[in-house]
Amino acid sequence: MADGTTGRPSGRYGQDDHGERSQSPPGREREPEPEPESQAGQVPVSVPVSAAGEAPVEAPVSGEPPGASATRRGLLAASAALGLGALTGCGTSARARPDDAKPGGAPGSGKGGGGKGGGKESRSPSPRRTRVKKRPQLPRGGRELFPKYRLVGYCGLPGAPALGRLGSGDPGKRVDEMEKTARKYAEGREPLPVLELLATVANPTPGPDGTYRTRTPGKTIRRFHELAKERDALLLLNIQPGRAAALDEVKALSDWLEHPHIGVALDPEWDMGPGEVPGQTFGRTSGDELNGVAEYLSKLVGEHDLPHKPLVFHQVAASVVSDEKALRPADGVSLIKSADGIGSPGLKRGTWGRLVDDLPDGLHTGFKLFYEEDTEGTRLMKPSEVLKLRPEPEYVMYE
């Protein structure tokens, strides 16, 4: 996916700077990795029934065509299946939203004391006390994300370490790590941790409805929703639509998106067209499609008086998003373009320069770092180096 949480598609990688088809993603100029021994044969694993009621599907461990490099993104099918299997046992009971405090009753008029003549005292009416409903706020206060905050987070799926940092270990400890890392990125802003949870996962097989995607169980989303509320963090629901429409997948999450600290991250790398299969080719989106999602979120923000809602789209190559100039600002929505590229600091800076050149007005920027892939033969970029990028990234995500 474009946020780096699943196996990189093989085959067509779009065009290079000279308009020719490249054999590897832009900014990912690596020698082919050796085939792991575990991929010598294809071991089928099953995806359990999803929250959308999909039947199990079989997915081979080796999702790469012959000769393709065995990257973690190439393990999309098996990793997603194993991760979703582990998810079915995760979750806690949902806490209801606090009810609005009910206004107190007006003081009643009592009977007068035994004054002369024993008549009733005349009292002036007491003013009725009312409580003003507090408008929903962002996790750490306020109603606008930028320029107050810098977002720093992890992505992934619990029980599936190959899909991202958020998928390994105790999620609470991952938030503790985020807090420490986020402070290194403050630079005059307030750090705001982000949990980017895969809510829709692309599959290499169609499933009963032919959408090539599986939805994460609601109880897993609830678990991370509770954690985000407990830690005053943002929760981003990441969508790899497969052949489903991205907007339909966003609408399926509408009950969650009515909360003030939940936003959306789209992965157009996994937005497949007719005849395309996740893991075999890059998907694509368009400025108009992104506008449709932004307008839908803007409507939710208006109807529920929500604070600004983040809408991230991860981009691994220029070809993944067409007609970017068509992007339009939407009231109450902070649109963030996250540059996704693996490699040395120099390669990543080059990818950044290509992807952020001549940005549309009002578009915020994000940057992706990989704990493992970025350090193969080189090193991870330091926060001080990331903050020297121009424009300065406002969302930094680690996988």
Side-chain angles (χ1 to χ4, degrees):
M1 60 183 285
D3 69 0
T5 58
T6 57
R8 173 67 62 197
S10 56
R12 177 165 55 83
Y13 289 109
Q15 296 181 340
D16 60 20
D17 293 339
H18 304 288
E20 298 176 353
R21 294 291 184 186
S22 60
Q23 296 302 312
S24 59
R28 307 195 181 198
E29 299 153 18
R30 296 202 176 282
E31 293 297 322
E33 302 175 16
E35 286 284 339
E37 293 181 5
S38 61
Q39 292 190 5
Q42 294 197 346
V43 183
V45 291
S46 297
V47 177
V49 175
S50 71
E54 294 183 359
V57 293
E58 294 294 322
V61 168
S62 176
E64 301 269 10
S69 61
T71 63
R72 291 169 73 187
R73 291 178 181 241
L75 299 177
L76 166 66
S79 300
L82 293 173
L84 289 173
L87 282 178
T88 57
C90 299
T92 58
S93 332
R95 282 205 299 258
R97 296 188 196 177
D99 293 329
D100 296 331
K102 294 181 173 58
S109 298
K111 293 199 175 185
K116 289 184 180 180
K120 297 181 180 179
E121 287 188 21
S122 174
R123 294 187 179 183
S124 299
S126 298
R128 181 181 294 272
R129 291 185 300 170
T130 60
R131 295 182 183 179
V132 178
K133 181 180 178 181
K134 186 177 180 180
R135 301 180 74 189
Q137 303 285 301
L138 290 166
R140 302 194 176 187
R143 289 176 55 86
E144 294 186 14
L145 282 167
F146 305 120
K148 180 177 181 179
Y149 293 106
R150 191 179 319 277
L151 314 183
V152 179
Y154 290 157
C155 60
L157 193 66
L163 301 186
R165 186 79 163 186
L166 201 58
S168 63
D170 177 8
K173 291 182 179 179
R174 297 287 83 82
V175 179
D176 291 340
E177 291 176 9
M178 276 185 252
E179 289 277 8
K180 293 178 182 178
T181 303
R183 287 195 287 271
K184 299 177 182 178
Y185 283 97
E187 289 290 314
R189 297 197 184 197
E190 292 185 33
L192 181 55
V194 175
L195 293 81
E196 188 166 322
L197 177 70
L198 300 184
T200 303
V201 183
N203 294 333
T205 50
D209 60 1
T211 58
Y212 287 83
R213 66 94 177 96
T214 302
R215 291 173 177 170
T216 296
K219 59 185 175 181
T220 302
I221 298 176
R222 184 178 300 115
R223 178 191 177 195
F224 280 81
H225 177 211
E226 294 297 316
L227 179 60
K229 289 194 295 184
E230 178 185 325
R231 299 301 189 90
D232 292 328
L234 276 175
L235 174 63
L236 291 183
L237 300 179
N238 182 288
I239 294 171
Q240 302 176 353
R243 288 193 195 172
L247 182 55
D248 288 345
E249 295 305 302
V250 173
K251 289 180 177 179
L253 297 165
S254 61
D255 287 348
W256 298 108
L257 295 172
E258 291 175 8
H259 292 270
H261 54 285
I262 298 183
V264 171
L266 299 177
D267 245 330
E269 181 180 341
W270 303 105
D271 193 337
M272 301 288 116
E276 294 181 337
V277 176
Q280 294 184 5
T281 183
F282 275 156
R284 289 177 172 81
T285 191
S286 67
D288 284 341
E289 185 175 23
L290 293 172
N291 285 337
V293 175
E295 289 165 5
Y296 176 75
L297 293 178
S298 179
K299 184 178 178 182
L300 286 180
V301 168
E303 288 177 349
H304 301 281
D305 192 27
L306 299 172
H308 279 202
K309 195 167 285 293
L311 170 57
V312 178
F313 65 96
H314 295 288
Q315 187 170 357
V316 64
S319 61
V320 167
V321 180
S322 65
D323 197 18
E324 190 175 273
K325 292 298 183 183
L327 289 172
R328 299 186 302 272
D331 290 341
V333 177
S334 297
L335 187 59
I336 304 169
K337 174 178 180 171
S338 175
D340 177 355
I342 290 173
S344 66
L347 283 174
K348 292 177 78 73
R349 281 190 285 265
T351 300
W352 173 263
R354 289 191 296 273
L355 292 179
V356 303
D357 183 46
D358 197 21
L359 290 173
D361 292 340
L363 189 60
H364 302 274
T365 55
F367 192 67
K368 182 73 179 294
L369 293 158
F370 298 82
Y371 278 116
E372 293 187 11
E373 287 90 337
D374 282 352
T375 58
E376 293 175 3
T378 177
R379 63 174 178 82
L380 194 67
M381 287 182 73
K382 299 175 183 178
S384 59
E385 294 174 307
V386 174
L387 291 173
K388 289 179 181 177
L389 296 171
R390 291 295 178 269
E392 193 174 86
E394 296 180 277
Y395 175 33
V396 180
M397 189 176 70
Y398 285 83
E399 191 249 297

